[in-house]
Amino acid sequence: MHREIKVGDNLKTLRKEKGWSLDKTAKATGVSKAMLGQIERGESSPTVAKLWQIASGFEVSFSSFITGTSNNELTSMFRDANELRREEYNTGFFVSLLFPFEQALGFEIFELTLAPNYQHESDPHNIGVTEHILCISGEMSVLFDDEWHTLRAGQAVRFNANQIHGYKNIGKENAVFHDVIHYPEK
């Protein structure tokens, strides 16, 4: 199954679960009704930024759009970032969803890879959402509190994600980092 169809299917399912029309979804997310319809039909491939915008409007995790549903039963899981890595969300920005969001835990974990000179900025997430960034290799900067902060391999930072924030590779090699995104209980 192509990613666009899974994202579209998940969007449609979530919209139906909430009882939202396309109009109401457009108002809640700030994404046009036409674009939402194209995503649901698999005719449009949303960027990471657009998916975050939609997830924030629904007040759900990012991974809820790119994974199947969870039965919320906590079991042991082994994951391999190399098998999960996808570049299809943005060229130069590789996303590996290591652990999808589970309500019982309240977080999701990504391994992200930025190509040299790649920069990604995100709109604010909902109040209470925090990100924990651990630089695994390379050299990168993280934007929060209106300032870029440098991280090298082994360094980590936590920040409130309800502000404009971003990541950029400031080295000559790929920058690889883990991003643990924690969502507050509703």
Side-chain angles (χ1 to χ4, degrees), residues 155-169:
Q155 295 181 321
V157 66
R158 177 182 67 204
F159 61 91
N160 291 322
N162 63 338
Q163 60 184 308
I164 292 175
H165 56 284
Y167 328 95
K168 69 179 172 181
N169 183 340

Side-chain angles (χ1 to χ4, degrees), residues 18-58:
K18 288 195 173 268
W20 288 5
S21 65
L22 279 173
D23 283 328
K24 182 165 184 164
T25 304
K27 287 178 182 139
T29 63
V31 176
S32 75
K33 181 178 167 182
M35 173 63 80
L36 291 167
Q38 290 172 354
I39 293 168
E40 283 190 3
R41 293 187 302 274
E43 296 170 359
S44 179
S45 179
T47 64
V48 169
K50 194 61 67 181
L51 281 177
W52 269 118
Q53 185 178 351
I54 295 168
S56 292
F58 274 101

Side-chain angles (χ1 to χ4, degrees), residues 11 18 54-55 58-59 98 104 107 135 149-150 157 168 171 181:
L11 172 59
K18 288 195 173 268
I54 295 168
F58 274 101
E59 296 186 2
L98 296 177
F107 65 86
C135 183
H149 306 270
T150 300
V157 66
K168 69 179 172 181
I181 304 174

Side-chain angles (χ1 to χ4, degrees), residues 80-129:
D80 184 338
N82 295 313
E83 292 177 7
L84 301 167
R85 192 169 292 119
R86 304 285 181 264
E87 188 184 22
E88 57 203 17
Y89 299 103
N90 291 81
T91 302
F93 187 45
F94 298 86
V95 177
S96 298
L97 176 58
L98 296 177
F99 293 101
F101 177 80
E102 293 182 61
Q103 189 68 44
L105 299 174
F107 65 86
E108 59 194 354
I109 302 176
F110 295 89
E111 180 194 88
L112 303 167
T113 303
L114 307 174
N117 301 312
Y118 186 87
Q119 178 174 323
H120 175 79
E121 289 189 23
S122 292
D123 288 329
H125 301 313
N126 295 320
I127 292 174
V129 175

Side-chain angles (χ1 to χ4, degrees), residues 19 29 38 50 61 63 70 77 114 120 137 149 180 182:
T29 63
Q38 290 172 354
K50 194 61 67 181
S61 69
S63 64
S70 167
M77 292 177 75
L114 307 174
H120 175 79
S137 65
H149 306 270
V180 178
H182 182 266

